[in-house]
C-alpha cells in the first residue's frame, strides 16, 4: 500500500520577484472573547425581548397571559433586574421608538420579524446608558445609529418640542410607597421561623388581617432570596392573600378554584387546608396552565389536581363534584385596582383614547363574571363561595353580586361578612352591600373587591298553608297535656265530674209551653 508523504516544509526564506521575504505562520482563528458584563447585557436584552413579545401579543389580543412582573420574575428569567428595567423603559418609550424607526427606515424584512428585540436595542441606543456592542441585531442597528439619532431629532422638530420628556407627553404615575408583603407557605415553614430568617436583613411585622402574611418595608427586593426560590415564602400582595382566607376552607374539604392561574391563591388554599382534602384547580389557557403547575410544584402541595378546561363547561351535577363544599372564583377582570403594580398603564391599550374600548371591555367582562358566579352557586353541595376581583369598577363588583342575589337566595345562600374588622365596605347601591369588602387604591395601595356567599339552608320557597312539622308536634303535645290525668290532674277531675253529673240527670222535654 502506497504511503502518502507530506510535502516538505518550504524554507524560511524565499525569493520572490527579487525581494527576499520571510515566511510567517497565520495565527489560528480564536473565538471572540466577551466580558461578563457584555454577556449579561446580551442575555438580558434577549430575555427582555421574549417578555416584551408576550406582553405586546397579549395586549393586542386583549388576553394577557400574565402581568409584566409575573413574566419577568418567572423562574426561566435569569437576569431579573436588568430584564425588568429594560421591559419597563422600552414600554415607556415605545411610541417614540416606533416613530423613530419609521422615520429612519432602516429595518429590512429580517429584522421586522424580530420587532420586540429591535425595540429593546433601540431603547439602549437612543436612551440607555450602555451602548450595545455584541450580537447580530445589535451590530446591525449600531451601523444605523446615526440614522436613528437623526430620526429622533427630526421627530422633536415635527412635534415642536425641545426634549424627549416633552415628546413623550405622558404623565407617569408617581410611585407610591407600598409595603412588601410576603406570605409564608405553611406547608414548608412556620410563620415564626420565617420571621426569624427574614429579620436577619429586614424589618418584619406580622399582618393584622391575614395570619400567615408578613409585612416588610417598601422596596424590599426578595426575588433572589433563597426562601422565595425554594417556595417557603411567596411574594403575594395583601389583597390576594385575603381571598383564600375569606373562603376559610377546612382541612379535608374538597374545594374548587375556578380560575386558578398563576396559582398563588390555589396553593394558599392548600396551606390553609394543611395539605389535606382535595383542590380542583381549573384553568383554560394552556400557557397559564404551565405557570400554575410550576407554582404548585414550588409550593410542595400534593392535594391539588389541575383541570385544563373551562370552568363554565363543568356540570355541577356530575358525580366528580358531588363532594365540593367551597368554590373560589377570581375571574378575569379589568385589573383597574392594580394598574400601577401590574404596569398595565405602560401598554398600548391603556392610552387616553381608549375610553370607548374600556367601556365595551368592562361590559363583556361583567357578562362573563355574572355567568361564572351564577355557575359557582349552582353546585349542589357547595356551602361557601368567594367572588373576588382586582377591579375598582362597580360594574364588575357590586353590580355582578346584585344580579345573582335572587338566584343565590333561591339556592339557600346569603351574603356573609368577610373580615368584619375591615372598615371599607361595598358601595351602598343595594341592601346588603355592607357585607361586601373593598380595598382602596390610595388608602390600601391597591383596589380589590371580595364577596362571600354562605349557604344557610333557608331556601327561598313559596309559603305553604300547611304548618311546619315542628309546630304540629308542639300543638299535639299541648292538646295531650290538657287531657292527660297525670300531667293535669285537677283539670282532668273537674272535667270527669262534670261529665258524670250530666249523665245522672233525667232527660228534658223538647216541647215548650210558651
Amino acid at each position: 500500500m502506497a504511503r502518502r508523504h507530506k510535502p516538505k516544509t518550504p524554507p524560511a526564506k524565499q525569493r520572490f520577484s527579487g525581494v527576499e521575504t520571510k515566511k510567517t505562520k497565520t495565527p489560528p482563528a480564536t473565538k471572540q472573547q466577551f466580558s461578563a458584563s457584555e454577556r449579561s447585557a446580551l442575555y438580558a436584552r434577549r430575555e427582555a425581548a421574549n417578555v416584551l413579545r408576550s406582553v405586546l401579543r397579549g395586549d393586542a389580543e386583549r388576553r394577557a397571559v400574565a402581568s409584566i412582573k409575573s413574566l419577568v420574575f418567572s423562574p426561566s428569567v435569569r437576569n431579573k433586574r436588568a430584564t425588568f428595567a429594560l421591559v419597563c423603559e422600552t414600554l415607556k418609550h415605545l411610541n417614540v421608538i416606533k416613530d423613530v424607526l419609521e422615520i429612519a427606515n432602516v429595518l429590512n424584512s429580517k429584522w421586522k420579524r424580530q420587532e420586540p428585540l429591535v425595540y429593546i436595542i433601540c431603547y439602549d441606543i437612543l436612551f440607555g446608558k450602555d451602548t450595545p456592542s455584541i450580537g447580530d441585531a445589535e451590530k446591525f442597528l449600531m451601523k444605523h445609529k446615526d440614522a436613528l439619532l437623526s430620526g429622533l431629532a427630526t421627530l422633536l422638530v415635527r412635534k415642536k418640542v425641545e426634549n424627549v420628556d416633552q415628546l413623550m407627553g405622558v404623565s407617569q404615575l408617581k410611585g407610591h410607597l407600598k409595603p412588601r408583603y410576603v406570605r409564608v407557605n405553611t406547608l414548608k415553614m412556620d410563620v415564626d421561623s420565617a420571621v426569624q430568617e427574614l429579620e436577619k436583613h429586614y424589618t418584619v411585622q406580622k399582618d393584622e388581617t391575614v395570619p400567615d402574611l408578613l409585612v416588610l418595608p417598601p422596596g424590599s427586593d426578595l426575588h433572589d432570596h433563597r426562601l422565595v426560590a425554594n417556595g417557603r415564602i411567596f411574594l403575594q400582595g395583601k389583597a390576594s392573600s385575603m381571598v383564600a382566607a375569606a373562603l376559610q376552607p377546612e382541612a379535608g374539604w374538597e374545594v374548587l378554584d375556578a380560575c386558578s392561574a398563576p396559582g398563588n391563591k390555589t396553593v394558599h388554599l392548600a396551606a390553609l387546608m394543611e395539605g389535606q382534602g382535595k383542590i380542583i384547580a381549573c384553568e383554560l389557557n394552556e400557557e397559564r396552565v404551565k405557570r400554575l403547575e410550576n407554582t404548585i410544584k414550588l409550593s410542595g402541595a400534593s392535594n391539588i389536581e389541575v383541570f385544563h378546561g373551562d370552568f363554565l363547561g363543568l356540570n355541577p351535577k356530575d358525580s366528580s363534584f358531588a363532594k365540593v363544599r367551597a368554590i373560589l372564583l377570581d375571574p378575569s377582570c379589568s385589573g383597574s385596582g392594580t394598574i400601577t403594580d401590574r404596569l398595565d398603564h405602560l401598554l398600548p391599550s391603556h392610552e387616553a383614547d381608549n375610553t370607548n374600548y374600556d367601556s365595551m371591555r368592562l361590559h363583556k367582562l361583567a357578562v362573563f363574571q355574572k355567568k361564572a358566579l351564577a355557575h359557582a352557586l349552582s353546585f349542589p353541595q357547595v356551602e361557601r363561595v368567594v367572588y373576588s376581583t382586582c377591579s375598582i369598577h362597580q360594574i364588575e363588583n357590586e353590580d355582578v353580586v346584585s344580579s345573582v342575589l335572587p338566584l343565590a337566595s333561591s339556592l339557600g345562600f346569603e351574603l356573609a361578612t368577610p373580615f368584619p374588622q375591615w372598615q371599607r365596605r361595598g358601595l351602598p347601591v343595594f341592601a346588603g352591600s355592607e357585607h361586601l369588602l373593598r380595598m382602596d387604591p390610595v388608602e390600601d395601595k391597591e383596589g380589590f373587591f371580595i364577596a362571600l356567599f354562605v349557604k344557610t339552608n333557608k331556601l327561598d320557597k313559596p309559603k305553604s298553608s300547611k304548618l311546619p312539622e315542628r309546630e304540629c308536634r308542639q300543638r299535639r303535645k299541648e292538646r295531650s297535656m290538657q287531657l292527660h290525668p297525670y300531667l293535669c290532674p285537677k283539670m282532668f277531675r273537674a272535667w270527669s265530674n262534670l261529665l258524670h253529673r250530666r249523665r245522672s240527670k233525667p232527660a228534658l222535654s223538647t216541647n215548650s209551653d210558651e
Side-chain angles (χ1 to χ4, degrees), residues 1-7:
M1 183 176 179
R3 292 184 179 181
R4 292 181 179 271
H5 296 278
K6 293 181 180 180

Side-chain angles (χ1 to χ4, degrees), residues 38 41 45 124-125 128-134 138 142 145:
E38 287 177 325
R45 286 192 290 272
D124 264 346
I125 293 174
K129 297 179 180 178
D130 299 325
T131 303
S133 56
I134 61 173
E138 286 84 347
M142 282 299 294
K145 180 179 179 179

Side-chain angles (χ1 to χ4, degrees), residues 180-188 212-214 222 227-237 241 262-265 267-268 294-301:
R180 160 62 69 189
Y181 289 101
V182 173
R183 182 180 63 78
V184 181
N185 179 16
T186 53
L187 293 174
K188 288 187 173 183
D212 51 3
L213 193 66
L214 304 179
L222 285 84
L227 294 183
V228 175
N230 59 29
R232 294 179 183 271
I233 63 175
F234 279 81
L235 304 181
Q236 187 171 351
S241 301
N264 286 346
K265 299 181 185 70
V267 298
H268 192 189
N294 289 335
T295 303
I296 294 171
K297 182 178 179 181
L298 182 64
S299 73

Side-chain angles (χ1 to χ4, degrees), residues 8 23 38 104 146 162 175 198 216 246 354 453:
K8 294 182 179 180
K23 184 70 174 180
E38 287 177 325
D146 291 340
E162 297 179 357
L198 292 172
L216 279 68
N354 276 332
F453 293 84

Side-chain angles (χ1 to χ4, degrees), residues 174-230:
K174 295 181 179 179
H176 52 279
L177 295 178
K178 179 182 178 180
R180 160 62 69 189
Y181 289 101
V182 173
R183 182 180 63 78
V184 181
N185 179 16
T186 53
L187 293 174
K188 288 187 173 183
M189 192 177 204
D190 62 85
V191 175
D192 291 335
S193 297
V195 171
Q196 185 177 1
E197 183 67 24
L198 292 172
E199 279 184 335
K200 295 178 181 178
H201 304 285
Y202 306 96
T203 302
V204 183
Q205 294 180 338
K206 294 182 180 179
D207 184 70
E208 298 178 352
T209 308
V210 183
D212 51 3
L213 193 66
L214 304 179
V215 188
L216 279 68
S220 301
D221 188 0
L222 285 84
H223 290 95
D224 296 326
H225 198 283
R226 63 181 185 85
L227 294 183
V228 175
N230 59 29

Side-chain angles (χ1 to χ4, degrees), residues 104-124:
N105 193 25
V106 297
L107 296 184
N108 54 32
S109 58
K110 173 184 177 181
W111 297 113
K112 284 182 179 179
R113 291 193 296 268
Q114 301 186 44
E115 282 187 331
L117 179 58
V118 169
Y119 296 153
I120 295 288
I121 298 170
C122 281
Y123 165 76
D124 264 346

